């Protein structure tokens, strides 16, 4: 017989079903709680609430495990291929050779921006934050591709997904070029996904940027490690917006907005700013640790801590190793890496961090790899967005394809004034 939880409220006792995930995670299904008892559950910031059943990504935060469609992320690191992971996340299995080629071709044929959109860049202020440009331009796909606002079949889904996955690189690179007043570099159909992005970022009209295999591998790795992370803040945002049956472009643009914050994807910028501050002589690593522990300081050790991981973030482990390799290959000597290592060592020996199970997260080392590739700090979270795009699309699709999906609508416990009377302005 299926297991049930029994809830006693006053003299009423109700049984609630327990559902079990394939990895043994158990959840009490409270769908009938309110209709049977009038009660709702209270879980601020949703630290203990499952909002969906998903087949995409598995995390065991206590053991430091992350798997995409069952495959541990460490297995993607040998010859990293982001486009394969995109397919895997979205369609649920690794692609065959005769599937990946047309999929890549779809990216090539969708890499250009609508001419109207390209011209829009000229009116954007030069100092505009690239994340603002990215969310706005992604959303603008909703008016350039109105035929894809409602996705009725697999063909239109594929068309919309390919536009997002391909154009996001072009939009990001154009945002960077605009900030420097440089001419836009058009995508090159001969180049693979990551190489093409670097080409649009760094080539000049008179000189092609040389993308070595090492650089291409490193960027593939960074994108893969960011590709999905189940129900995090930005992905939950994409699902929330998508649950109203808003279109895929608008839902993913909302994901970019959520990712921007310093407690989420924006942390990769904060980490580098913190390391640069330490390096330029402002603060010593020990002082930084002291400040992070002192609540009065209002300072956090960016790149540390995670809602789900109470152990090493497996992505940070891979990136820490990648830092050594990439910096050596590119012959880059970055003093920030030494500082990051020292901070990590100090934190992992400090009872404040040990007791709270605060370990380095993906953002702690990702910025150092991106810096080594020549990516400027204000583009770090944009690169995170490019990497996360397949995850957002896969999660949106899973929700869209589920016939039982309903609009997401959390409840609240109201604590404001009791019923009151309106007072006309001259009597207040
Ligand atoms: N530095 C110092 N103290 C920290 C840190 C940190 N980085 N992170 C958590 N803590 C402390 C909190 O102050 C709190 O202490 P208390 O129990 O004495 O009050 C305790 O650890 C628990 O922290 P919460 O904030 O409750 O944890 P929560 O799950 O809400 O937040 C978060 C997780 C936002 C990631 C947090 O750890 C943080 O702010 N880290 C720094 C920002 C960061 O790196 N974000 C990227 C996360 S990964 C990603 O989004 C891609």
């Amino acid at each position: 017989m299926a297991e049930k939880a029994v809830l006693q409220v006053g003299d009423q006792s109700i049984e609630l079903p327990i559902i079990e995930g394939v990895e043994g995670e158990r959840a009490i299904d409270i769908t009938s709680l309110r209709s049977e008892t009038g009660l709702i559950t209270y879980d601020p910031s949703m630290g203990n609430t499952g909002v969906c059943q998903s087949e995409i990504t598995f995390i065991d935060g206590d053991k430091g495990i992350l798997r995409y469609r069952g495959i541990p992320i460490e297995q993607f690191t040998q010859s990293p291929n982001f486009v394969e992971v995109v397919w895997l996340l979205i369609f649920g299995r690794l692609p065959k050779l005769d599937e990946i080629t047309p999929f890549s071709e779809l990216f090539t044929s969708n890499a250009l921006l609508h001419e109207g959109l390209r011209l829009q860049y000229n009116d954007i202020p030069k100092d505009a934050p690239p994340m603002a440009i990215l969310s706005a331009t992604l959303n603008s796909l909703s008016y350039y591709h109105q035929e894809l606002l409602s996705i009725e079949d697999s063909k239109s889904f594929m068309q919309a997904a390919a536009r997002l996955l391909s154009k996001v690189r072009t939009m990001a690179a154009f945002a960077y070029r605009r900030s420097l007043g440089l001419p836009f570099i058009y995508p090159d159909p001969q180049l693979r996904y990551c190489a093409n992005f670097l080409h649009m970022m760094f080539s000049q009209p008179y000189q092609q940027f040389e993308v070595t295999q090492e650089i291409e591998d490193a960027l593939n790795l960074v994108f893969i490690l960011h590709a999905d992370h189940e129900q995090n803040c930005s992905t939950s945002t994409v699902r929330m917006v998508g649950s109203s049956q808003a279109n895929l472009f608008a839902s993913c643009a909302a994901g970019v907005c959520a990712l921007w914050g310093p407690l989420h994807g924006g942390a990769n910028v904060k980490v580098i700013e913190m390391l640069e501050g330490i390096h330029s002589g402002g603060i010593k690593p020990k002082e930084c640790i002291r400040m992070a522990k002192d609540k009065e300081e209002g300072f956090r050790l960016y790149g540390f801590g995670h809602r789900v991981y109470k152990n090493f973030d497996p992505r940070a482990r891979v990136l820490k190793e990648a830092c050594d390799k990439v910096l050596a290959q590119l012959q880059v000597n970055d003093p920030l890496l030494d500082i990051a290592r020292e901070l990590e060592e100090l934190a992992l020996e400090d009872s404040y961090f040990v007791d709270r199970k605060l370990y380095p997260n993906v953002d702690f080392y990702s910025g150092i790899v991106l810096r080594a590739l020549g990516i400027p700090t204000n583009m770090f979270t944009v690169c995170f967005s490019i990497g996360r795009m397949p995850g957002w699309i896969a999660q949106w699709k899973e929700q869209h394809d589920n016939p039982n999906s309903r609009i997401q609508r959390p409840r609240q416990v109201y604590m404001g004034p009791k019923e009151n009377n309106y007072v006309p302005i001259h009597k207040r």
Side-chain angles (χ1 to χ4, degrees):
M1 210 178 75
E3 199 183 359
K4 294 205 185 278
V6 180
L7 179 70
Q8 185 78 37
V9 185
D11 53 10
Q12 186 186 8
S13 166
I14 64 156
E15 285 190 341
L16 296 166
I18 291 186
I19 55 168
E20 186 163 334
V22 292
E23 295 287 348
E25 202 168 42
R26 296 177 336 139
I28 300 174
D29 177 351
I30 53 110
T31 329
S32 65
L33 180 66
R34 188 163 177 278
S35 59
E36 291 198 32
T37 65
L39 291 169
I40 61 166
T41 53
Y42 179 59
D43 181 19
S45 310
M46 294 194 285
N48 199 33
T49 293
V51 290
C52 61
Q53 295 184 31
S54 179
E55 297 178 5
I56 302 169
T57 289
F58 172 70
I59 299 176
D60 185 328
D62 295 321
K63 294 192 185 134
I65 293 174
L66 170 59
R67 300 184 198 132
Y68 296 156
R69 301 283 186 181
I71 304 175
I73 47 143
E74 292 79 5
Q75 293 185 17
F76 298 109
T77 58
Q78 282 316 309
S79 41
N81 182 331
F82 178 60
V83 175
E84 264 196 4
V85 173
V86 171
W87 178 285
L88 171 73
L89 287 170
I90 296 178
F91 299 110
R93 59 172 173 77
L94 288 166
K96 302 197 177 104
L97 207 55
D98 61 352
E99 290 168 328
I100 198 76
T101 310
F103 193 49
S104 299
E105 281 165 4
L106 212 48
F107 291 162
T108 306
S109 58
N110 280 294
L112 274 176
L113 303 187
H114 188 285
E115 193 59 6
L117 179 53
R118 186 185 66 78
L119 291 170
Q120 272 182 38
Y121 276 79
N122 294 333
D123 295 329
I124 295 173
K126 268 188 160 183
D127 58 353
M131 284 296 275
I133 303 177
L134 190 65
S135 59
T137 47
L138 280 171
N139 206 17
S140 74
L141 294 178
S142 311
Y143 51 80
Y144 285 116
H145 301 286
Q146 294 186 35
E147 74 285 4
L148 298 173
L149 294 190
S150 159
I151 289 182
E152 308 298 350
D153 52 32
S154 58
K155 194 166 167 237
S156 53
F157 168 75
M158 190 69 128
Q159 290 296 327
R163 278 170 176 75
L164 276 168
L165 289 157
S166 187
K167 291 181 198 301
V168 68
R169 294 170 302 176
T170 319
M171 291 167 176
F174 281 18
Y176 169 66
R177 306 286 299 192
R178 168 75 188 144
S179 71
L180 296 180
L182 293 170
F184 298 140
I185 300 295
Y186 282 17
D188 178 344
Q190 306 304 323
L191 295 175
R192 287 187 293 259
Y193 190 91
C194 290
N196 214 346
F197 171 57
L198 292 165
H199 157 71
M200 287 188 275
M201 288 278 291
F202 301 128
S203 285
Q204 299 299 353
Y206 48 85
Q207 193 174 31
Q208 180 92 359
F209 176 74
E210 194 201 337
V211 185
T212 62
Q213 192 59 52
E214 287 83 15
I215 295 183
E216 202 179 336
D217 283 353
L219 192 60
N220 269 289
L221 182 69
V222 170
F223 285 166
I224 288 172
L225 293 175
H226 289 88
D228 192 48
H229 213 233
E230 48 115 309
Q231 307 314 314
N232 55 83
C233 175
S234 56
T235 303
S236 303
T237 302
V238 171
R239 278 192 180 252
M240 173 70 83
V241 175
S243 77
S244 73
Q245 296 182 359
N247 69 77
L248 181 58
F249 304 132
S251 305
C252 290
V256 172
C257 296
L259 190 72
W260 194 356
L263 296 188
H264 192 16
N268 55 17
V269 173
K270 288 286 191 184
V271 170
I272 291 295
E273 286 174 357
M274 176 180 79
L275 297 176
E276 280 173 343
I278 294 171
H279 180 59
S280 62
I283 337 166
K284 296 245 176 299
K286 269 194 180 159
E287 174 61 5
C288 191
I289 297 287
R290 187 200 63 73
M291 281 164 60
K293 295 192 294 183
D294 182 353
K295 301 276 193 266
E296 301 289 301
E297 294 276 357
F299 171 82
R300 290 209 153 185
L301 186 59
Y302 281 99
F304 257 73
H306 198 276
R307 174 63 62 80
V308 178
Y309 291 119
K310 301 303 168 199
N311 198 324
F312 234 93
D313 178 338
R315 303 167 298 175
R317 216 188 279 279
V318 172
L319 279 169
K320 187 180 175 184
E321 265 177 43
C323 277
D324 290 327
K325 199 172 138 199
V326 172
L327 267 59
Q329 278 168 344
L330 303 179
Q331 298 180 340
V332 173
N333 181 14
D334 191 342
L336 300 197
L337 179 57
D338 298 329
I339 297 168
R341 285 207 197 95
E342 191 180 341
L343 276 176
E344 182 189 325
E345 227 169 83
L346 288 170
L348 295 183
E349 283 171 359
D350 192 301
S351 60
Y352 174 94
F353 293 89
V354 175
D355 295 349
R356 289 169 179 75
K357 299 188 176 161
L358 301 172
Y359 290 85
N361 60 48
V362 67
D363 294 317
F364 198 63
Y365 288 107
S366 64
I368 295 174
V369 177
L370 290 172
R371 255 164 77 93
L373 301 182
I375 309 272
T377 312
N378 70 346
M379 290 293 289
F380 286 2
T381 318
V382 169
C383 287
F384 192 152
S385 309
I386 301 175
R388 184 53 57 87
M389 189 57 75
W392 290 333
I393 294 172
Q395 301 270 353
W396 186 95
K397 179 179 191 298
E398 188 175 65
Q399 178 174 266
H400 180 263
D401 291 351
N402 180 353
N404 298 320
S405 284
R406 297 168 73 201
I407 188 167
Q408 291 198 34
R409 193 352 182 142
R411 290 190 176 263
Q412 64 166 13
V413 179
Y414 176 69
M415 303 298 243
K418 290 239 182 200
E419 187 176 355
N420 226 326
N421 287 321
Y422 174 79
V423 181
I425 194 159
H426 59 276
K427 290 199 176 159
R428 282 174 221 161

